[in-house]
Amino acid sequence: MKSEKINNDKKVISRRKLDMLFNNSSIYYFNNLENYYEFEEFIKLHKTPLLTKLRKASNLYFLSDTYFLIIQNFELEDDEHAFFCSCITEFAKFINNSKPLISKIRENATLIEKNLS
């Protein structure tokens, strides 16, 4: 039997490309409207372009004494994603994503017009 030649000269490097797009909807809830505006103000102070992206990709609803922020198709760079995740947890709670909940919120809640200043 002939022995096979093995070429160990080539190195294979694989890199994962992380796609920072929130393809599905994300739902966060705020206990009061003041918490939402504090969250916006915090982003505005530190990363103003992120606030513009957030406003385009989200809607704020009021239902049963709770404010729900629904975010869809939110495209972020790596540093923006890390910043967003760390700061929203200070102001809101994440709700496990479910399509029926989004439908319920959209059908029964009041849409809050966001301050565009």
Side-chain angles (χ1 to χ4, degrees), residues 73-91:
N73 300 326
F74 193 27
E75 295 182 28
L76 299 173
E77 301 295 328
D78 290 341
D79 64 326
E80 291 175 328
H81 183 260
F83 175 78
F84 175 79
C85 289
S86 67
C87 73
I88 196 162
T89 57
E90 295 293 321
F91 298 94

Side-chain angles (χ1 to χ4, degrees), residues 23 33 49 86:
N23 290 322
L33 193 56
S86 67

Side-chain angles (χ1 to χ4, degrees), residues 1-2 8 15 20 30 33 35 45 47 55 60 64 72 77 87 89 92 101 110 112:
M1 251 196 220
K2 280 186 173 180
N8 291 329
R15 294 186 182 162
M20 292 301 160
F30 295 84
L33 193 56
N35 285 351
L45 225 97
K47 289 193 184 271
R55 286 181 176 163
L60 184 66
S64 303
Q72 293 182 301
E77 301 295 328
C87 73
T89 57
L101 179 59
T110 305
I112 306 295

Side-chain angles (χ1 to χ4, degrees), residues 13-28:
I13 299 173
S14 64
R15 294 186 182 162
R16 280 180 37 183
K17 182 179 179 184
L18 298 176
D19 186 12
M20 292 301 160
L21 172 66
F22 286 68
N23 290 322
N24 297 324
S25 298
S26 298
I27 308 170
Y28 293 90

Side-chain angles (χ1 to χ4, degrees), residues 39-87:
F39 167 65
E40 272 198 343
E41 200 57 39
F42 185 81
I43 291 177
K44 187 177 179 180
L45 225 97
H46 294 89
K47 289 193 184 271
T48 304
L50 178 61
L51 183 58
T52 305
K53 288 181 182 181
L54 176 65
R55 286 181 176 163
K56 287 181 182 177
S58 67
N59 286 311
L60 184 66
Y61 296 90
F62 178 70
L63 178 68
S64 303
D65 297 328
T66 306
Y67 293 87
F68 295 94
L69 183 67
I70 298 176
I71 305 171
Q72 293 182 301
N73 300 326
F74 193 27
E75 295 182 28
L76 299 173
E77 301 295 328
D78 290 341
D79 64 326
E80 291 175 328
H81 183 260
F83 175 78
F84 175 79
C85 289
S86 67
C87 73

